[in-house]
Amino acid sequence: MPIFLYFCHHFEGRIVMKQLLIVILLTISIGAIGQSVGDIIADIYEQVAEYGGEWEDYCQELMELHTHKINLNTATAAELERLRFLSERQIDELLTYVDKHPMASIAELQLVPCLREYEVRNLSYFVTAEPVKQTATLYPREVFAYAKHELTLRTDARNIENAQGDPMYGNLRYRFNYHNQVLAGWTMLREAGKPWEALHYGGYIQLNDIAPHLKTLVVGNFQGQFGQGLVLGESLRFGKSSHIFSTNGAEGVRKYSSVSDSYDYLHGIAATLQWGRAEITPLYSIRQERDSMWHHVVGLNATYKTRGIKVGLTALEEVYRRDSCHTIFGLNAHYKKGRWAVWGEVASSYDGSARCDTAMSRWGWGTIMGTSWVPTEGLSLMLFYRYYSPTYHSRYAQAFAETSKVNDENGVYIGTEIQLVPKWRFSIYADGWYFSGPKYGIPQASWGWDVMAQADYNPTEAALMFWKVRAKRKYVTDTYSLRYQFNWDEGGWHLRTQLDGSLVKKDTAQVTWGVSVFQDIAYTFRRVPITLQLRVQGFDVRNWDNRIYIYENDVLYASSIPAMYHVGGRLYLNMRYKIGDHLSAYCRVSETLYHPNWTGGNKPTRTDVHLMLRATF
């Protein structure tokens, strides 16, 4: 009720409130079915991911795994690592259970140690338990006859009231999938405000296990992950979150299918060849940068795996022109025995460009090493150290770091998860670092720390809530934040209430504060193929340093994480309508209403409309 009063009092939103009440009453009048996979994917991302990175690519990965589920009776650790929300120990326990007791039903997931109720629920959307079948020969005629095709068309009108140019955004995408063995895709993107001639295109073909010794072959847009990501890592980085022991994702190369004009991925060809316990992955990429300069990347990874031990060597050579090249190479290792694991990576970079006039400025190095230990069931500990010299640089690195660049950082991280009390999970981490020179927004050498504690309570299968507190010091700014969230799923209902608060003390300035509260109501109709998601939100954040990032659902394969700033309210309505068995329509309408005194010179409203059509055949 306070949020509704906020809208009525500040904006006299009688018409808006009337429409919202009609939607809610209409929703209540119809029966329900189960929660959609889109809601599950959104929950997973918000639980385990650091805000940032390529959410769209991860969402597509999970959607593909939902369509082509992992067979637990034949699953490998690499396949389960693609889910990312499972820890290394949970994957080991699951594989050990299946090895001793082949599963007849996914209901047996409840018997696997270390898996909590909500993790069993999440897994059930992406795995299956089927009898082991002999690998069939791949025939081209069958590939095209039994493959899954998907075509999506999306168009947005963004910030309609305040847009300086053309507010229209659009993308067209086609995807082909044959049992996750043959995958292909093509994308076309048009950014809002850019001329129609400046279209961005992308595509890929990925083949898995199509020939002896050929594990993976990718042509087109791709990315890779090896070791701890000091040399080469995927664009989606799972940093500091409450799920301390989540995996970084499966090692190797794979397609890059995101609709994006960023330059964080590779374009060319890569292959993984396997002989017993050894794997070799050569890769080559060539792209034309925005300044019309050609960028070449040549790389090689060699990995050897044996019982409990994995060792890998990765090398990359970047060439821009004759007088500008960059070389990076790294050695990574992982050892695991029982409840204890130790891992690390050491890397060095050499800048061969003409601007480096001394040997010290040419060479840089970095390392990250750590250990994890489970002393008793329900208690997990992690400790690791990182050091990246000021001259270390790898464009495609995605290792653990406080800043977005893996450069000039010296830090120690410790974290623990405690599940000794039924239905409760406690997560705590502490991270400290030192920068020896200036960073973005930091004019000089500085130190900082970051401490987080979260308590999750799962009283019933339908209800889940958590309390999260975080304190952080960066240069001369102290930030304290609080978040409470309550989730309830029953039948087709999905309700979420979230309260956020922020306090900032900057040097000698006064303490500033910000607060946000929202209510989500999502519902899937039983008699008509429609799903609705409604959010009503109010926020009072009068200082930019107190900005609060809030995750928002969007049309399929998309999300947004806007920064709540100024004083106002926000609401959005998502709708999915399934038109027959092969066509679905998605619509999102959002509006932000600002207090007239806090508009930042713009109009007191912002409206966005997102539309998508999805055809499967």
Side-chain angles (χ1 to χ4, degrees), residues 87-94 113-114 338-339 374 377 380:
S87 69
E88 185 178 2
R89 176 162 174 77
Q90 288 174 325
I91 292 174
D92 288 342
E93 293 280 2
L94 180 54
C114 300
R339 301 187 175 201
V374 183
E377 201 65 46
S380 303

Side-chain angles (χ1 to χ4, degrees), residues 15-29:
I15 297 177
V16 174
M17 296 311 305
K18 183 177 179 181
Q19 293 173 341
L20 293 179
L21 289 173
I22 290 174
V23 171
I24 295 172
L25 292 174
L26 178 63
T27 300
I28 295 175
S29 66

